[in-house]
């Protein structure tokens, strides 16, 4: 190479004398501890990793934009959803239970995390490729994830543990039906839909509020792997999804999703046939049809995986004016948990890193701490102050509220609406959306999964669980597992209860 190459330096920028040899006393003598260049190489190497995410550890990301092509201003005043607005964004897709090196084609939900760098600050929509979830109360989230990860004694995952948790948590049935269906293993990240999953609130410029659900429909079409294809791909190329996304964008084949929303007038929530804030339920399209909003295009690969994908920190608490929360108890928990995990994983100033940093000026009263590099200089550090410091805007801030009935502090079940039960919507999916081939694949996947090191007692509960979803599926699972058929349990009571 004729071009002059740069000189290696220490991290302080001082020229280094040798890239390959330690400083020793004679050719065979001991290594000198004051060889700080080599010592610091070792020290930095030992600190190269940040803790991997407890969930969604294996992920891939890409930059792009969101463009609002329709007029939904009657529902929200959020700047990014005003007609014609184009907002830069970053997306991270992931599996849930596996660690950093785990295969992309595992049967698992996929994370669908979006960060929009809007002119009103960052808006994060941290969803999945499924419209529902396994549990409906954040109190059960950690237990659910423990059941999907590894046993403390053997360090291995356990199908027994997974079915034990699921069958004792009947609210999981809808999500487990999707997981065990063909959609349980997307062919690529490009070929899956994304959902905000929770119900959120929108508010228009006149102050009117709505409940809303987000659906990102893949323009590439939904494509999946069969269980056999997924297992084969896991050994052939554990990074198949990562490679596919990277290559498509490098080849100029930018993947695209259309955003549709379902909108429920605020007052209808009270009497809707399903509890609209229950994360285990969808709103059937016949009740609330899809309203088009815009399109999301991912057209730029990260330059640095660690800086952009690993250090990205998404939090559902990042909301912008015109978008708010709902009383979904899982969402309430996630509002705390996501920011907290990034404080632990990356550090208290993770939002100063370029991937997380908003494209608008930040004027908060939080400052200093490990690795801060955006310093406030001579600025008041408390509010209220008479020194010209920032002042909150009660009119236009991002807080959205909703009315709650006064009540006693207690540990309540979700209020049950007319048609709420744990199995009904899963049954609808099996009977009305799937065809025979999809039902066959569902049974095959359940039987395969529940055969591997699952006890007879748990298998009986597996049969009862599927019988509650659908009598025919339950009987076929019983036959596949060589267990007796089970009676369906009576529909659950509609009485709200508290403990
Ligand atoms: P629709 O017929 O209007 O919609 C059915 C939906 O199911 C479509 O969005 C379709 O996605 C999706 N779908 C197809 N196969 C699967 C699968 N194996 N796993 C998950 N989703 C799948 O029906 P309804 O709105 O009345 O809902 C009926 C059932 O469909 C629900 O009980 C729920 O299980 C499921 N569903 C409903 C959604 C909703 O928000 N209403 C969203 C997703 C699923 P696509 O258009 O990509 O084919």
């Amino acid at each position: 190479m004729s071009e002059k190459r740069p000189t290696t330096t220490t991290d302080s920028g001082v020229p280094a004398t040798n890239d390959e040899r330690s400083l020793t006393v004679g050719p065979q003598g001991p290594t000198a501890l004051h060889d700080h260049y080599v010592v610091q190489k070792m020290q930095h190497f030992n600190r190269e990793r940040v803790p991997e995410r407890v969930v969604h550890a294996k992920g891939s990301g890409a930059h792009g934009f969101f463009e609002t092509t329709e007029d939904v201003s009657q529902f929200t005043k959020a700047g990014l959803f005003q007609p014609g607005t184009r907002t830069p964004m970053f997306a991270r897709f992931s599996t849930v239970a596996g660690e950093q090196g785990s295969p992309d084609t595992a049967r698992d939900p996929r994370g669908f995390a979006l960060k929009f760098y809007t002119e009103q600050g960052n808006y994060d929509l941290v969803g999945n490729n499924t419209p529902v979830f396994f549990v409906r109360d954040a109190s059960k989230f950690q237990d659910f994830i423990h059941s999907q990860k590894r046993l403390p004694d053997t360090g291995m995952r356990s199908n027994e543990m997974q079915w034990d948790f699921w069958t004792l948590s009947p609210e999981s049935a809808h999500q487990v039906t999707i997981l065990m269906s063909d959609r349980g293993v997307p062919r690529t990240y490009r070929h899956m839909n994304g959902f905000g999953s929770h119900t959120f609130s929108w508010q228009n410029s006149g102050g009117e509020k709505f409940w809303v659900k987000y659906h990102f429909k893949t323009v590439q079409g939904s494509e999946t792997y069969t269980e056999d294809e997924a297992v084969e791909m896991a050994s052939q190329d554990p990074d198949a999804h990562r490679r596919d996304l990277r290559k498509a964008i490098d080849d100029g084949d930018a993947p695209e999703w259309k955003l549709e929303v379902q909108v429920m007038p605020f007052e209808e929530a009270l009497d809707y046939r399903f509890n609209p804030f229950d994360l285990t339920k969808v709103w059937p399209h016949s009740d609330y049809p899809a309203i088009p909003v815009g399109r999301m295009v991912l057209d730029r690969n990260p330059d640095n995986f660690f800086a952009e994908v690993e250090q990205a920190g998404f939090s559902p608490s990042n909301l912008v004016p015109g978008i708010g929360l709902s009383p979904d108890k899982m969402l309430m928990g996630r509002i705390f948990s996501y920011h907290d995990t990034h404080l632990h994983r990356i550090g208290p100033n993770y939002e100063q890193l370029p991937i997380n940093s908003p494209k608008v000026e930040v004027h908060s009263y939080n400052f200093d701490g490990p690795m801060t590099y955006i310093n406030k200089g001579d600025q008041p550090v408390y509010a209220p102050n008479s020194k010209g410091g920032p002042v909150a805007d009660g009119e236009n801030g991002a807080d959205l509220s909703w009315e709650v009935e006064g009540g006693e502090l207690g540990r309540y079940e979700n209020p049950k609406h007319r048609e709420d039960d744990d199995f009904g919507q899963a049954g609808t999916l099996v009977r009305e959306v799937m065809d025979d081939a999809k039902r066959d694949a569902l049974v095959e996947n359940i039987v395969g999964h529940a055969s591997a090191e699952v006890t007879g007692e748990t298998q009986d509960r597996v049969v009862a669980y599927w019988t509650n979803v659908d009598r025919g599926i339950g009987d076929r699972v019983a036959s596949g597992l060589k267990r007796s058929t089970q009676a369906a349990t009576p529909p659950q009571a509609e009485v709200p209860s508290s403990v």
Side-chain angles (χ1 to χ4, degrees):
M1 219 187 287
S2 58
E3 221 175 278
K4 179 150 172 28
R5 291 166 59 169
T7 304
T8 312
T9 69
T10 66
D11 288 338
S12 309
V14 178
T17 47
N18 195 297
D19 287 318
E20 296 174 47
R21 293 196 189 127
S22 311
L23 196 63
T24 55
V25 184
Q28 208 59 103
T31 305
L33 186 60
H34 71 269
D35 183 2
H36 61 86
Y37 176 61
V38 170
V39 168
Q40 286 180 11
K41 268 169 83 172
M42 288 184 214
Q43 288 172 319
H44 196 279
F45 177 77
N46 290 345
R47 291 162 177 79
E48 266 176 20
R49 299 283 181 273
V50 295
E52 68 174 30
R53 294 164 168 87
V54 185
V55 282
H56 298 275
K58 173 84 186 282
S60 306
H63 298 266
F65 62 87
F66 180 81
E67 186 176 33
T68 302
T69 52
E70 314 295 324
D71 187 350
V72 288
S73 59
Q74 59 182 307
F75 304 121
T76 180
K77 63 180 179 182
L80 86 155
F81 293 134
Q82 299 314 302
T85 306
R86 197 169 157 140
T87 304
M89 57 161 303
F90 181 72
R92 182 176 184 273
F93 306 128
S94 50
T95 48
V96 179
E99 297 83 5
Q100 286 258 23
S102 59
D104 283 341
T105 54
R107 181 169 300 280
D108 207 2
R110 300 294 186 275
F112 199 98
L114 312 176
K115 189 180 284 294
F116 303 91
Y117 304 98
T118 89
E119 289 177 9
Q120 296 167 300
N122 285 355
Y123 172 46
D124 291 358
L125 188 62
V126 198
N128 277 337
N129 70 329
T130 62
V132 292
F133 195 63
F134 298 89
V135 293
R136 59 169 71 99
D137 190 309
S139 169
K140 288 183 82 167
F141 179 80
Q142 303 71 26
D143 299 299
F144 162 63
I145 292 298
H146 287 165
S147 77
Q148 305 296 302
K149 304 273 290 192
R150 292 173 188 276
L151 284 162
D153 53 349
T154 62
M156 289 199 281
R157 293 182 68 184
S158 152
N159 290 9
E160 165 71 19
M161 173 162 75
Q162 296 186 25
W163 286 108
D164 192 38
F165 179 88
W166 287 333
T167 55
L168 295 174
S169 304
E171 71 271 30
S172 63
H174 195 182
Q175 172 76 306
V176 177
T177 305
I178 297 174
L179 180 66
M180 291 294 151
S181 80
D182 58 323
R183 299 264 172 123
V185 189
R187 184 164 280 264
T188 76
Y189 285 139
R190 296 179 299 124
H191 292 94
M192 64 185 195
N193 296 329
F195 299 87
S197 304
H198 305 281
T199 295
F200 292 91
S201 46
W202 273 6
Q203 186 177 38
N204 67 19
S205 54
E208 201 182 354
K209 294 175 194 165
F210 303 86
W211 302 115
V212 63
K213 279 197 181 286
Y214 296 77
H215 305 247
F216 287 83
K217 304 300 284 270
T218 168
V219 171
Q220 293 68 238
S222 271
E223 287 184 26
T224 56
Y225 273 134
T226 63
E227 181 64 17
D228 287 348
E229 287 170 334
V231 169
E232 192 182 329
M233 187 50 86
S235 64
Q236 242 179 54
D237 184 4
D239 298 327
H241 287 183
R242 183 175 290 175
R243 196 178 315 283
D244 172 84
L245 182 65
R246 182 126 201 136
K247 183 169 183 320
I249 294 173
D250 276 347
D251 291 350
D253 183 14
E256 182 172 335
W257 285 259
K258 298 271 188 229
L259 172 61
E260 297 171 348
V261 288
Q262 290 178 288
V263 176
M264 179 186 289
F266 211 70
E267 305 68 36
E268 287 182 21
L270 203 58
D271 288 330
Y272 183 47
R273 59 191 177 120
F274 301 111
N275 183 329
F277 310 120
D278 176 349
L279 187 55
T280 69
K281 300 282 187 326
V282 297
W283 304 349
H285 287 112
S286 50
D287 293 347
Y288 295 99
I291 299 170
V293 179
R295 67 190 193 116
M296 168 176 113
V297 177
L298 299 180
D299 58 1
R300 182 163 63 87
N301 275 316
D303 292 328
N304 183 283
F305 185 87
F306 184 81
E308 290 153 77
V309 183
E310 194 54 15
Q311 290 192 316
F314 299 86
S315 172
S317 56
N318 285 342
L319 300 161
V320 290
I323 304 176
L325 303 172
S326 80
D328 175 337
K329 290 178 193 173
M330 276 297 296
L331 180 56
M332 302 279 94
R334 295 179 73 213
I335 292 299
F336 163 78
S337 200
Y338 279 66
H339 181 66
D340 184 62
T341 202
H342 304 311
L343 296 179
H344 156 69
R345 204 171 62 81
I346 314 175
N349 288 304
Y350 77 95
E351 289 182 284
Q352 293 184 10
L353 293 170
I355 191 66
N356 300 319
S357 151
K359 307 300 174 223
V360 294
E361 277 186 36
V362 173
H363 298 286
S364 88
Y365 284 98
N366 299 327
F367 63 98
D368 291 357
M371 303 310 293
T372 189
Y373 69 94
I374 299 176
N375 301 104
K376 303 268 161 84
D378 180 18
Q379 186 196 292
V381 290
Y382 54 88
N385 65 75
S386 62
K387 311 293 178 196
V391 186
D393 179 350
E395 290 272 292
N396 300 306
D399 276 343
L400 272 196
S401 54
W402 60 85
E403 294 77 28
V404 280
E405 287 172 26
E408 269 182 53
L409 200 60
R411 299 185 186 278
Y412 294 88
E413 274 184 21
N414 260 14
K416 284 212 168 75
H417 289 211
R418 285 190 309 285
E419 293 182 33
D420 275 334
D421 71 15
D422 289 327
F423 299 102
Q425 291 199 349
T428 306
L429 176 62
V430 167
R431 286 184 292 273
E432 293 175 27
V433 179
M434 292 182 188
D435 57 18
D436 282 343
K438 296 206 163 137
R439 281 187 284 268
D440 290 349
L442 174 70
V443 171
E444 203 175 310
N445 292 334
I446 298 166
V447 170
H449 197 276
S451 296
E453 297 180 8
V454 177
T455 59
E457 189 210 324
T458 301
Q459 285 180 333
D460 285 344
R461 271 191 272 131
V462 171
V463 172
Y465 182 86
W466 290 104
T467 305
N468 281 326
V469 171
D470 181 81
R471 169 94 257 171
I473 298 291
D475 288 353
R476 291 174 66 187
V477 169
S479 150
L481 293 177
K482 302 189 178 48
R483 307 293 300 179
S484 315
T485 54
Q486 301 280 332
T489 52
Q492 295 143 34
E494 289 182 17
V495 192
S497 61
S498 79
V499 179

